[in-house]
C-alpha cells in the first residue's frame, strides 16, 4: 500500500507522476494554502517545461483541509489510498501537518511540509521532511531581537491554545527571553477563532510589559492588534511566521504598524535568483509571493530533485533520495536536510510599515 510505484487516480496515465498537496484553501488560514499551492504549481510548471522527471510529466492533486486537522488527516488518507501519489506536499499549519504525518508515515509515503515549524512534525518518522527551520530556532530569533535590538526588559505572551505551533513557539520564546535576562510579565491564551481578546489584553496591560509576543496566525493577530490598542496597550507587538499574510494588514490596519515578526524570506532579498522567482510569480498570480509561496516553490523543487535522483518511484527510494538533499538552492534559503529531516537556515525579522513588510535583519542559527 502506498508505495507510489504506479501513480493512480483516473486521469493519470503511465507517463505521469502524480503528487499530492493538502492545504488550507478555505477557513481561518486560507491564504496559507493558496500561496503554497501557487508556489508549488509554478515549480511544477517549470519542471515540466524542462522535461519532467524520468521522462514523465508531473501532475498534482490538491485537497482543501478547511484549516482543520481532522480534514487534513482525511485528505492525506485519500491521497495515499485512492490517488496513490508518489509524495505529499503540505501542510502549512503544524497541527494539520501533525495529523497528516501520522497517515503518511504509517503508509510509507514520503511527505514534505514546506513550512510547518513545530519540531514534533518530523518526529513522526523517517518519511516526514520539511524545507524550513524549526521553532526552537524561531523562538530564539525573536527573543534575541527583543533583547538586543529592541532592548526590551519585559514582555507578555499571548498564545493560541489550539495550535501546536503557537504553544511551542510561546514556550521557546519565554525560555530564551528569560535566559537572556528578560522577564515575562504574563502568559495569556486564546482559542483559534475567538473574536474577543479584551480580557486577556487587559490582564496583560496590568502586568505593564514593554512588548507583547503573539505567536499566532494572521486571522487572529490582526484582531488582537486592534483590541490591544483599544484597551490602551501602546507597546510593540512581536510574532512569528504565522503573521505572514496580506490579510494581516487588512485586519490589523494602523494597529499592527510598527510590529515585528520573524519569517523565512523577505521579498527585499536582492539575490537575482530570488528576484527572478518574484518576477515569475507576479506574472503568474499578480501578487508579490509571501513566505508560504516561496517555501511551497522550494518544497516542490526539492521533491522534483529527489524524484529525479531516486532509483525508482517507490516510497523507500523516494524517501532515501529526499533524505540526501544537500546544498539545494531554494528561494527561501539553501536546503540541507539534517539527520532529523529538518532544514537548518537563517531567519529574517520584518517590520510592518505602511501596510507591508520591511526587511530589518537576518539572524543565523
Ligand atoms: N510555521 C507555521 C506553523 O508551523 C506555519 C507558517 C509558516 C505560517 C510560514 C506562515 C508562514 O504552523
Amino acid at each position: 500500500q502506498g508505495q507510489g510505484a504506479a501513480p493512480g487516480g483516473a486521469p493519470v496515465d503511465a507517463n505521469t507522476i502524480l503528487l499530492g498537496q493538502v492545504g488550507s484553501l478555505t477557513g481561518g488560514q486560507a491564504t496559507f494554502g493558496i500561496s503554497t499551492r501557487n508556489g508549488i504549481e509554478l515549480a511544477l510548471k517549470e519542471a515540466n517545461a524542462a522535461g519532467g522527471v524520468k521522462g514523465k510529466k508531473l501532475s498534482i492533486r490538491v485537497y482543501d483541509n478547511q484549516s482543520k486537522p481532522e480534514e487534513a488527516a482525511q485528505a492525506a488518507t485519500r491521497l495515499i489510498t485512492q490517488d496513490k501519489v508518489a509524495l505529499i506536499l503540505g501542510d502549512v499549519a503544524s497541527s494539520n501537518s501533525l495529523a497528516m504525518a501520522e497517515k503518511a508515515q504509517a503508509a510509507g509515503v514520503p511527505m514534505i511540509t514546506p513550512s510547518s515549524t513545530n519540531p514534533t512534525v518530523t518526529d513522526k518518522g523517517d518519511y516526514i521532511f520539511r524545507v524550513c527551520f524549526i521553532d526552537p530556532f524561531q523562538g530564539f530569533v525573536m527573543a534575541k531581537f527583543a533583547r538586543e535590538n529592541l532592548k526590551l526588559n519585559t514582555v507578555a505572551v499571548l498564545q493560541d491554545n489550539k495550535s501546536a505551533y503557537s504553544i511551542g513557539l510561546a514556550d521557546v520564546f519565554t525560555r530564551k527571553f528569560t535566559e537572556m535576562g528578560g522577564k515575562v510579565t504574563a502568559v495569556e491564551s486564546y482559542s483559534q477563532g475567538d473574536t474577543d481578546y479584551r480580557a486577556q489584553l487587559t490582564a496583560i496591560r496590568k502586568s505593564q510589559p514593554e512588548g507583547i509576543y503573539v505567536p499566532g496566525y494572521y486571522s487572529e493577530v490582526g484582531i488582537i492588534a486592534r483590541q490591544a490598542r483599544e484597551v490602551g496597550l501602546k507597546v510593540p507587538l512581536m510574532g512569528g511566521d504565522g503573521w505572514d499574510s496580506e490579510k494581516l494588514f487588512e485586519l490589523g490596519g494602523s494597529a499592527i504598524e510598527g510590529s515585528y515578526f520573524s519569517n523565512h524570506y523577505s521579498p527585499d532579498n536582492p539575490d537575482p535568483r530570488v528576484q527572478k522567482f518574484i518576477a515569475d510569480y507576479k506574472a503568474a498570480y499578480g501578487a508579490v509571493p509571501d513566505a508560504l509561496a516561496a517555501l511551497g516553490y522550494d518544497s516542490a523543487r526539492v521533491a522534483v530533485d529527489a524524484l529525479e535522483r531516486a532509483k525508482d518511484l517507490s516510497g523507500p527510494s523516494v524517501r532515501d533520495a529526499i533524505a540526501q538533499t544537500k546544498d539545494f538552492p531554494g528561494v527561501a534559503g539553501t536546503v540541507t536536510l539534517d539527520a532529523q529531516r529538518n532544514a537548518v537556515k537563517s531567519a529574517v525579522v520584518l517590520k510592518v510599515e505602511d501596510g507591508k513588510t520591511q526587511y530589518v535583519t537576518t539572524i543565523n542559527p
Side-chain angles (χ1 to χ4, degrees), residues 32 92-94 115-118 165 217 241-242 244 263-264 291-292:
F32 290 171
V92 172
S94 288
S115 43
S116 287
T117 47
N118 185 276
Y165 157 77
Y217 295 137
D241 54 355
D244 191 18
N263 207 0
H264 304 266
L292 287 318

Side-chain angles (χ1 to χ4, degrees), residues 29 32 91-97 113-118 121 130 132-133 135 138 163-166 169 216-218 240-245 261-264 290-292 295:
Q29 297 128 35
F32 290 171
D91 184 37
V92 172
S94 288
S95 295
N96 298 343
S97 289
T113 166
S115 43
S116 287
T117 47
N118 185 276
V121 174
R130 78 180 104 217
C132 57
F133 54 62
D135 288 334
Q138 182 168 211
S163 151
Y165 157 77
S166 189
L169 204 44
Y217 295 137
Y218 66 90
D241 54 355
W243 283 30
D244 191 18
S245 172
F261 67 101
S262 50
N263 207 0
H264 304 266
D290 55 19
L292 287 318
L295 287 169

Side-chain angles (χ1 to χ4, degrees), residues 82 100 111 126 138 169 172 199 299 334 342:
Q82 186 179 308
M100 292 166 58
M111 167 176 147
D126 59 347
Q138 182 168 211
L169 204 44
V172 181
S299 70
T334 302
N342 301 319

Side-chain angles (χ1 to χ4, degrees), residues 246-284:
E246 279 283 306
K247 288 263 182 249
L248 176 73
F249 314 123
E250 236 174 270
L251 292 166
S254 62
I256 198 79
E257 289 284 312
S259 303
Y260 299 90
F261 67 101
S262 50
N263 207 0
H264 304 266
Y265 133 106
S266 160
D268 298 331
N269 185 339
D271 182 329
R273 210 158 25 81
V274 177
Q275 289 305 321
K276 174 165 191 320
F277 162 70
I278 293 173
D280 293 345
Y281 187 95
K282 263 192 189 158

Side-chain angles (χ1 to χ4, degrees), residues 4-226:
V12 175
D13 57 34
N15 296 316
T16 306
I17 299 175
L18 185 66
L19 312 182
Q21 183 200 343
V22 179
S24 47
L25 304 175
T26 58
Q29 297 128 35
T31 68
F32 290 171
I34 294 165
S35 290
T36 305
R37 183 192 59 194
N38 293 347
I40 291 172
E41 191 178 81
L42 182 62
L44 296 184
K45 229 185 276 168
E46 288 174 9
N48 281 334
V53 164
K54 298 190 191 315
K56 296 173 194 272
K57 289 280 177 236
L58 296 153
S59 169
I60 188 147
R61 189 144 303 160
V62 186
Y63 291 132
D64 179 18
N65 61 32
Q66 300 163 34
S67 304
K68 294 177 194 152
E70 319 80 65
E71 295 292 331
Q74 279 182 28
T77 298
R78 218 174 314 143
L79 288 173
I80 293 163
T81 58
Q82 186 179 308
D83 302 317
K84 300 193 168 43
V85 296
L87 174 159
I88 298 174
L89 298 173
D91 184 37
V92 172
S94 288
S95 295
N96 298 343
S97 289
L98 282 164
M100 292 166 58
E102 197 94 34
K103 307 293 179 193
Q105 180 64 33
V109 173
M111 167 176 147
I112 306 175
T113 166
S115 43
S116 287
T117 47
N118 185 276
T120 61
V121 174
T122 43
D123 289 347
K124 291 280 173 194
D126 59 347
Y127 279 83
I128 317 300
F129 301 86
R130 78 180 104 217
V131 295
C132 57
F133 54 62
I134 57 176
D135 288 334
F137 171 64
Q138 182 168 211
F140 156 80
V141 164
M142 200 37 86
K144 182 174 155 82
F145 184 79
R147 283 297 284 154
E148 293 177 11
N149 298 61
L150 301 179
K151 311 245 183 278
L152 303 184
N153 294 312
T154 55
V155 167
V157 176
L158 180 53
Q159 70 183 37
D160 174 356
N161 268 349
K162 264 207 185 147
S163 151
Y165 157 77
S166 189
I167 297 167
L169 204 44
D171 282 353
V172 181
F173 175 88
T174 300
R175 205 167 55 240
K176 294 291 174 191
F177 189 72
T178 310
E179 269 170 32
M180 292 171 194
K183 186 169 178 270
V184 173
T185 60
V187 179
E188 291 287 327
S189 59
Y190 62 92
S191 284
Q192 222 161 87
D194 285 356
T195 50
D196 188 352
Y197 308 90
R198 289 179 186 88
Q200 296 94 315
L201 290 166
T202 303
I204 284 175
R205 191 195 62 215
K206 288 189 181 133
S207 77
Q208 298 186 311
E210 295 166 347
I212 311 171
Y213 187 57
V214 195
Y217 295 137
Y218 66 90
S219 33
E220 283 85 18
V221 172
I223 304 168
I224 289 169
R226 280 186 192 270

